[in-house]
Amino acid sequence: MILNTKQTYFQFVARDVKKSYWTGDIEIKALDGISLKVAKGDFKMILGPSGSGKTTLMNILGGLDSADSGEIIINLGNGKFKDIRKFTKNELTNYRRMYIGIIFQFYNLIPILTALENIELAARFSGISNPKRKSKEYLSELGLGDKFNRYPNQLSGGEQQRIAIARALVKDPALILADEPTGNLDSVKTNEIYKILKKLSEDYNKTILIVTHDEDMANKYAKEHIHIKDGRLIRNQEKIER
Ligand SMILES: Nc1ncnc2c1ncn2[C@@H]1O[C@H](COP(=O)(O)OP(=O)(O)OP(=O)(O)O)[C@@H](O)[C@H]1O
Ligand SMILES: [Mg+2]
């Protein structure tokens, strides 16, 4: 791949993050005190049973949902540390647009836009220069150079997910979050997607967190795993300084 990416410094430390959902007066502790550190270039898998809090964690790190307590400090290398929990609405929108690329299990492409238009829309939102040219480059790099004008329903699942990856990448995010990115794909396509993500991490030092149920894939592609159960970490290589 020949992607033109800026090598932004990036690190974040989450400390004691808690999040509950309430159904009437019944509390569901989705995250019950999670602490973790993510540095530039990390490629980590998040594993855990259904309902353990993986999506909740990703959504909170990506600024799509908010924690009830704890800190999520980001350091963008400009000497400033910011707690995303204290962001204003505008700062949070900016954080999501500029720094975070999200890849979902069901791709979440816009069905009435072509492959190229889906990428271009994200590119324009993030305010990058030459959005159309860059969108084409990313699609080509992901092997979809001859399918710019196809609509999502004219593409296979693996192709749609590659478009979703291009869409996440085009804004050159500091952090890529993928929630079960291959949950909907067969094993050949699953390997293809993991290889792409791994290559992004190796060749471009991209910071990538991937939620998966698939222990085999996690072992095959990543050295570091984060295991979550009942909203808590059950195994994590790193100790967080307190
Ligand atoms: N919007 C919500 N309202 C109420 N409860 C919720 C909501 N979102 C998540 N939960 C609950 O919080 C817990 C954690 O959910 P979460 O989606 O983070 O799990 P997960 O690990 O991603 O599961 P899966 O592997 O099935 O995707 C679960 O008990 C879930 O039922
Ligand atoms: Mg989930």
Side-chain angles (χ1 to χ4, degrees), residues 11 20 31 39 42 87 91 96 102 120 128 138 166-167 173 177 198 201 238:
Q11 185 185 55
S20 288
L31 298 182
D42 278 355
F87 277 166
E91 284 175 326
R96 280 197 303 259
I102 297 186
E120 226 186 307
I128 61 163
Y138 277 82
R167 179 181 58 185
L177 300 170
K198 181 80 179 166
S201 151
E238 290 146 354

Side-chain angles (χ1 to χ4, degrees), residues 51 53-56 105 179-180 211 213:
K54 304 180 300 295
T55 295
T56 306
Q105 178 176 354
D179 192 352
E180 298 272 5
V211 166
H213 275 110

Side-chain angles (χ1 to χ4, degrees), residues 159-173:
E159 288 167 340
Q160 290 184 60
Q161 193 56 303
R162 277 186 277 145
I163 294 171
I165 293 173
R167 179 181 58 185
L169 285 174
V170 74
K171 55 186 176 174
D172 197 11

Side-chain angles (χ1 to χ4, degrees), residues 54-69:
K54 304 180 300 295
T55 295
T56 306
L57 178 64
M58 297 289 256
N59 287 345
I60 287 174
L61 297 179
L64 298 174
D65 200 352
S66 58
D68 297 332
S69 63

Side-chain angles (χ1 to χ4, degrees), residues 36-47 198 208-210 212 217-227 235-239:
L36 75 137
K37 191 169 162 187
V38 177
K40 176 83 184 162
D42 278 355
F43 186 80
K44 292 184 180 177
M45 300 283 182
I46 300 178
L47 291 139
K198 181 80 179 166
I208 306 179
L209 296 183
I210 305 171
T212 181
M217 284 296 145
N219 289 331
K220 186 167 170 189
Y221 288 99
K223 285 196 287 280
E224 292 193 64
H225 301 167
I226 296 165
H227 289 257
R235 197 165 72 216
N236 184 16
Q237 279 83 352
E238 290 146 354
K239 288 203 172 73

